[in-house]
Amino acid sequence: MSVAARDSTKSNIFKSMKDITFEQTISHQCGVTMNDSVEARAIAEFMDQDPKVTVTYNPALIRIDGEGKLIFKMDEISEFLGKEMTAEMFEVNTSTHYGRMVRVDDNTVILFGDMEEVMDYI
């Protein structure tokens, strides 16, 4: 599926206040916000290959959002970027996140939206 076709199937997660309805439900979403940089753009482009991931480009910021969990593999991102990406560099590029962030090892950072699933890692 082309990037353009996949992008047309994704919806923007941001809504105006008039379109928001408040429900007593639990969201299993998680995500990161990164300052716009070469590294952040590469991470966003790499993660955007997954149809369950939504990437939103804002002036100076990039949001990466997902449902359930987001798995960031540093070796795969490094290959896509063309230079080494470490978990430390990833965390420096991350301005903020929501969900529970777990650094599994030197190669893997996982963001969990489902708090029950994260219990396997604590």
Side-chain angles (χ1 to χ4, degrees):
M1 178 183 292
S2 73
V3 172
R6 190 175 68 248
D7 286 346
S8 68
T9 63
K10 293 184 179 182
S11 63
N12 189 343
I13 64 168
F14 301 105
K15 298 177 182 178
S16 69
M17 287 303 293
K18 69 178 177 57
D19 296 328
I20 294 176
T21 57
F22 294 98
E23 301 171 10
Q24 296 293 325
T25 60
I26 297 172
S27 166
H28 291 290
Q29 290 186 311
C30 56
V32 296
T33 302
M34 307 179 113
N35 290 323
D36 193 353
S37 67
V38 171
E39 292 82 4
R41 284 187 175 263
I43 293 167
E45 288 177 29
F46 177 76
M47 294 301 289
D48 200 31
Q49 295 175 43
D50 183 339
K52 296 178 284 185
V53 173
T54 301
V55 175
T56 306
Y57 294 88
N58 295 302
L61 296 173
I62 301 171
R63 293 246 339 215
I64 303 171
D65 299 284
E67 182 79 21
K69 67 182 168 186
L70 292 171
I71 302 172
F72 297 91
K73 295 276 194 178
M74 299 307 120
D75 58 348
E76 295 173 359
I77 293 170
S78 294
E79 186 175 327
F80 189 84
L81 178 60
K83 66 179 188 177
E84 183 181 23
M85 172 61 68
T86 65
E88 292 83 6
M89 291 168 59
F90 173 80
E91 290 179 23
V92 165
N93 278 284
T94 302
S95 300
T96 188
H97 71 276
Y98 67 102
R100 178 70 178 237
M101 183 182 284
V102 176
R103 184 170 165 183
V104 177
D105 54 35
D106 287 341
N107 187 57
T108 309
V109 175
I110 303 177
L111 268 154
F112 292 91
D114 183 345
M115 293 303 124
E116 290 182 23
E117 190 175 354
V118 77
M119 297 309 284
D120 294 337
Y121 293 88
I122 297 179

